[in-house]
Amino acid sequence: MGKVYVFDHPLIQHKLSFIRDKNTGTKEFRELVDEVGTLMAYEITRELTLEETIIETPVSKATCNILSGKKLGIVPILRAGLGMMDGILKLIPAAKVGHVGLYRDPQTLQPVEYYVKLPSDVEEREFILVDPMLATGGSAVEAVNSLKKRGAKHIKFMCLIAAPEGVKVLQDAHPDVDIYIAALDEKLDEHGYIVPGLGDAGDRLFGTK
Ligand code: PRP
Ligand code: URA
């Protein structure tokens, strides 16, 4: 069963409150999502492994630590995942970036895939799949399917807000994928929107409707 980690850092929680606010306009919404992307990247990279190396400082040799282990890949789910991507890359600029394009059919709520492009060395990378919203879980499950079909073996899912329904669907479909969130909300409404949520993440990020 995939574990669920809630990032309760006060800065993440503070910024998330303004992201939720319906009076927050597009510019500020985008900036806040970007900032929370950076803060969540800081938290999720705590588990990265280190190896010792010798560095020469201006004074002497020093035993220091650098990152070791698997290289990272960031995969935003289009469109809304793009809003968190730059914030993540600020901390891990050497990560490669893939894209999975999915939209949720408004009637059936089923995900429809329209684009996939991943780094060529999929099997060697550890992926962070990013989307602000985990609602019914259909999009996340489909995106993980898409990565696994192409050879990905190590995947984490990171989002701002999750509904309990979506967490269960993702855990059941992909028990090997841990889930990293800023908040676990109450439920889904009859249209598949997260309550209280933040509304439509893509529309709020890009100013569409
Ligand atoms: C939103 C969101 C997720 C999906 C979550 O995308 O960004 O990808 O819905 O819903 P689910 O868990 O029920 O699948 P949307 O389909 O609105 O597309 P967009 O990002 O292009 O706006
Ligand atoms: N997608 C969104 O953007 N918001 C929700 O609440 C659910 C799905």
Side-chain angles (χ1 to χ4, degrees):
M1 179 68 73
K3 293 197 191 75
V4 180
Y5 298 91
V6 182
F7 292 146
D8 58 359
H9 191 292
L11 283 176
I12 294 177
Q13 295 304 316
H14 174 82
K15 289 173 193 290
L16 182 60
S17 301
F18 291 95
I19 289 172
R20 287 182 187 277
D21 189 336
K22 68 176 184 184
N23 296 312
T24 298
T26 303
K27 175 178 177 288
E28 203 187 344
F29 185 90
R30 205 179 281 148
E31 288 166 357
L32 287 163
V33 170
D34 178 79
E35 288 166 13
V36 172
T38 304
L39 293 166
M40 291 187 78
Y42 180 76
E43 295 283 11
I44 206 170
T45 50
R46 269 178 196 284
E47 295 163 14
L48 293 181
T49 53
L50 294 169
E51 65 186 13
E52 285 190 351
T53 187
I54 306 295
I55 301 282
E56 282 197 46
T57 78
V59 179
S60 73
K61 289 188 174 171
T63 306
C64 299
N65 294 309
I66 56 170
L67 292 173
S68 67
K70 296 202 178 307
K71 294 184 178 150
L72 294 175
I74 312 302
V75 180
I77 300 179
L78 307 179
R79 289 177 299 168
L82 287 175
M84 298 174 75
M85 189 188 71
D86 284 345
I88 297 169
L89 288 175
K90 274 179 202 142
L91 286 194
I92 34 178
K96 291 204 173 161
V97 177
H99 295 87
V100 175
L102 289 172
Y103 70 88
R104 206 168 68 143
D105 183 288
Q107 259 74 49
T108 65
L109 300 184
Q110 292 305 303
V112 181
E113 186 178 283
Y114 58 87
Y115 184 77
V116 181
K117 184 80 180 174
L118 300 178
S120 53
D121 52 354
V122 174
E123 293 185 12
E124 279 104 65
R125 290 200 176 256
E126 183 163 325
F127 285 97
I128 305 174
L129 187 60
V130 188
D131 192 322
M133 310 305 276
L134 177 62
T136 65
S139 303
V141 168
E142 195 53 37
V144 175
N145 285 342
S146 204
L147 262 65
K148 285 187 175 173
K149 202 161 69 187
R150 289 165 177 82
K153 296 194 168 50
H154 305 276
I155 303 169
K156 294 176 167 147
F157 183 80
M158 184 166 108
C159 73
L160 292 182
I161 302 178
E165 295 90 329
V167 169
K168 182 167 184 336
V169 166
L170 182 55
Q171 283 178 323
D172 288 348
H174 296 291
D176 57 316
V177 174
D178 287 339
I179 303 170
Y180 299 81
I181 62 181
L184 181 63
D185 274 12
E186 198 184 314
K187 59 175 184 181
L188 295 177
D189 72 9
E190 64 277 21
H191 306 293
Y193 276 86
I194 299 177
V195 182
L198 54 74
D200 187 305
D203 283 346
R204 293 198 63 193
L205 269 169
F206 297 107
T208 51
K209 187 63 204 146

